[in-house]
Structures are given as C-alpha cells and as structure tokens.
Amino acid sequence: MAIEIVNESGAEVDEESLLALSRSVLEALHVHPGAELSVVCVDEAAMEQLHLEWMDLPDATDVMSFPMDELRPGTAEDPSPEGLLGDVVICPQVAAVQAARGGHSAADEVLLLLVHGLLHLLGFDHEEPEEKDEMFALQRQLLGDFLGRPAPDPTEA
C-alpha cells in the first residue's frame, strides 16, 4: 500500500504509528494492497479553513476525510479494487483538547481519529443511530486490536 504521512501541524505526531495503524486497518478491511492513502496533520488555522470550505462550518474540527475512488471494504477472497482511497486530515491540537476531555492521551486520540477518518473513506457514516453503532463498534475493534488493549471512547467524532 502506498501510504503518505505528512505532518504540517507543528505538533509532535508519531508518524510511524499512523503508518502502522493505517496498514493494519486497511489490511483488516481487505483493501487492495495497491490502494493509495494520504494522511495529513494540520494546525487549527488550516483545519478551520478546510472545515469552512468543504462543510460550510466555522471553527477547526478534529478530522476530515476526502474520499477519491469511493473504495469499499473487501473480503479475503475478494479485496477492494486498486485505487485512490483518498485523504484523511487530522488536527492534533483539536485532538489534544478532546483527549483531555475524554481522559486519555492525545496520541490515542489522534489514532482514534485516523481510524474514524479511514472508515469514512471506506463509506461508513454515523448519521443514523444504526450506522453510528456499526461504525463506532468497528472503530473500537480495529483500534483495540492495533493497540492490544481497549480503545478509548470517542469524545466527539
């Protein structure tokens, strides 16, 4: 998998963990090994601009996903097609605030946001209660499997 991790946030981010988690999630969901993904960490000003431009909402948010080829999870026998998965944009500064509110580390919050963003790229959503239950359960499972311990609950995903 071609995974690019870029940190433009000015905050310290464990890029190796982001890369390893991305691989873990994409492999677990049987995304084609030739799929391409970009993960970008940005500061609050950049995230606020993206949030306003794409969602018409003020203020910085924690994570945004920009799907490209609308890939969906595959199966072991039938992985997703090869293609451009898209971009996940994370704001570590917002993540740190949410982590403090949730009682866990900022590093765990960034990882949680990455899984959340990846699931959005793969077509998951949380608009309806049933969708939210499915997405958040899968999010907890994937992150927990990666961490080897229970995943933190999202404070505002």
Side-chain angles (χ1 to χ4, degrees):
M1 273 175 218
I3 301 171
E4 179 181 29
I5 310 289
V6 177
N7 183 8
E8 301 172 349
S9 70
E12 188 172 319
V13 175
D14 184 349
E15 294 177 31
E16 290 300 316
S17 289
L18 292 176
L19 179 62
L21 177 57
S22 296
R23 287 191 192 288
S24 175
V25 168
L26 297 178
E27 288 172 6
L29 296 177
H30 306 287
V31 174
H32 193 284
E36 296 180 37
L37 167 70
S38 175
V39 178
V40 182
C41 295
V42 299
D43 64 18
E44 290 168 296
M47 184 60 98
E48 183 175 7
Q49 181 62 35
L50 286 171
H51 202 213
L52 187 60
E53 181 179 336
W54 290 95
M55 304 293 292
D56 202 24
L57 295 171
D59 302 320
T61 190
D62 51 4
V63 62
M64 293 183 73
S65 297
F66 298 94
M68 296 295 285
D69 289 342
E70 297 186 13
L71 301 178
R72 298 295 178 254
T75 64
E77 300 77 31
D78 186 24
S80 72
E82 188 173 352
L84 297 174
L85 193 53
D87 303 320
V88 175
V89 181
I90 299 169
C91 183
Q93 290 86 347
V94 173
V97 171
Q98 290 179 180
R101 199 172 27 225
H104 52 266
S105 73
D108 277 359
E109 184 75 11
V110 168
L111 295 177
L112 175 73
L113 294 173
L114 175 58
V115 176
H116 188 85
L118 288 170
L119 291 177
H120 275 306
L121 289 181
L122 290 166
F124 290 88
D125 207 348
H126 47 86
E127 291 296 316
E128 300 297 325
E130 307 83 36
E131 293 174 333
K132 182 177 180 178
D133 291 346
E134 177 187 11
M135 182 177 178
F136 281 41
L138 183 56
Q139 182 175 281
R140 279 190 301 278
Q141 175 197 337
L142 291 166
L143 183 54
D145 288 351
F146 177 78
L147 294 172
R149 59 181 164 79
D153 286 326
T155 52
E156 284 190 22

